[in-house]
Amino acid sequence: MTIKNKVVVITGASSGIGKATTEVLAKAGAHVVIGARRKDRLAEIAAEFGGDQVVYQETDVTNRDSVKSLVDLAQSTFGKVDVLYNNAGLMPVSPLADLKVDEWERMIDVNIKGVLYGIAAVLPIMIAQKHGHIITTDSVAGHVVHPGTAVYAGTKYAIQAIMDGLRQEQVDHHIRTTMISPGAVETELYRTISDEKTREQIKVQEQTAGLSAADVAHAVAYAIDQPQNVAINEILLRPINQRT
């Protein structure tokens, strides 16, 4: 498998999709460098595999230096960075009329700027290597807008533009790009919703009919595990009973 011995950096790795992806890739033989704000959870994940397989560092994706430090850890520990998986994200959905401006700004900081900081941290390394793979968690919300999702969807539409621009710019450096765009997934993302009624609705939807985090992790692994001349630019996946 082409996953074996690859060095993969994952943000938002303390739970959900990031945690599941860490486990899938580490079991396939990758060296995984994980970051998130919850250091205790990272330590628990790393302990399952040992320091030669999974290393971790507390990381805040809204801080450019923090993201760069995580990438530097990967390079200093394993000597290269093959894959960056920008996975950290927030989803505090609400109607625009609720004027939850602080939540809007936080989504922009994490969902857009956090991705850009990740790209900024790895791109010089990958250009010098003349290979690399940058993956970002997008969403079905990057394709479809519903009432209450305007700002969240806006951040995900932005990822579509950023990642396709990156793809076009880095063709000559053999840098692959992939967007992973899931529908409903059973994760902790619903916890970022401040409205209690909406939070409970999303929680029930995800826990009764959502994809598992492992389902998405296997999609990430599929994108990585392709020959170097093959770029899977987007994987759009939904639970089979999700209409939009």
Side-chain angles (χ1 to χ4, degrees):
M1 294 178 68
T2 59
I3 292 173
K4 188 174 182 180
N5 294 323
K6 282 194 172 178
V7 177
V8 184
V9 178
I10 303 177
T11 64
S14 62
S15 65
I17 294 169
K19 178 177 183 289
T21 303
T22 300
E23 293 169 345
V24 167
L25 296 182
K27 288 174 183 176
H31 301 290
V32 190
V33 181
I34 57 176
R37 290 177 299 162
R38 294 177 290 188
K39 189 175 180 179
D40 56 334
R41 289 201 179 185
L42 297 176
E44 291 173 4
I45 296 166
E48 296 178 22
F49 297 97
D52 59 340
Q53 194 82 50
V54 177
V55 297
Y56 67 92
Q57 184 167 290
E58 183 177 353
T59 305
D60 178 359
V61 299
T62 68
N63 183 303
R64 182 180 176 183
D65 290 339
S66 182
V67 178
K68 186 177 185 303
S69 179
L70 182 68
V71 172
D72 289 345
L73 174 64
Q75 194 169 35
S76 64
T77 304
F78 298 113
K80 61 176 181 172
V81 180
D82 295 303
V83 182
L84 168 69
Y85 182 19
N86 283 310
N87 174 65
L90 297 176
M91 192 186 69
V93 292
S94 63
L96 289 169
D98 286 356
L99 300 180
K100 295 190 177 184
V101 178
D102 289 346
E103 293 182 0
W104 302 349
E105 291 178 345
R106 183 68 176 164
M107 274 192 282
I108 290 167
D109 287 344
V110 174
N111 296 1
I112 300 178
K113 292 170 70 175
V115 169
L116 290 171
Y117 292 158
I119 292 170
V122 299
L123 202 51
I125 296 169
M126 292 181 176
I127 289 173
Q129 294 174 167
K130 292 194 178 297
H131 74 85
H133 192 172
I134 298 174
I135 305 172
T136 296
T137 298
D138 196 54
S139 173
V140 168
H143 297 264
V144 181
V145 183
H146 297 291
T149 71
V151 179
Y152 176 68
T155 66
K156 296 304 183 179
Y157 272 81
I159 294 306
Q160 295 277 338
I162 291 165
M163 291 295 287
D164 196 53
L166 178 66
R167 176 190 66 80
Q168 295 180 50
E169 292 174 8
Q170 295 304 320
V171 166
D172 292 340
H173 293 118
H174 309 288
I175 296 172
R176 304 192 293 181
T177 67
T178 304
M179 290 174 285
I180 303 294
S181 299
V185 185
E186 185 181 355
T187 68
E188 296 180 3
L189 199 58
Y190 71 88
R191 296 183 181 181
T192 65
I193 301 171
S194 57
D195 179 76
E196 185 175 347
K197 182 179 179 181
T198 303
R199 183 171 62 248
E200 187 61 26
Q201 287 174 341
I202 297 295
K203 175 184 176 181
V204 170
Q205 177 189 3
E206 292 180 350
Q207 292 184 346
T208 58
L211 300 167
S212 72
D215 293 331
V216 183
H218 287 298
V220 176
Y222 170 79
I224 295 172
D225 194 29
Q226 298 301 310
Q228 284 300 116
N229 66 314
V230 178
I232 305 297
N233 298 131
E234 182 171 18
I235 298 177
L236 182 61
L237 63 160
R238 294 177 173 90
I240 196 166
N241 59 354
Q242 181 176 334
R243 294 185 184 277
T244 61

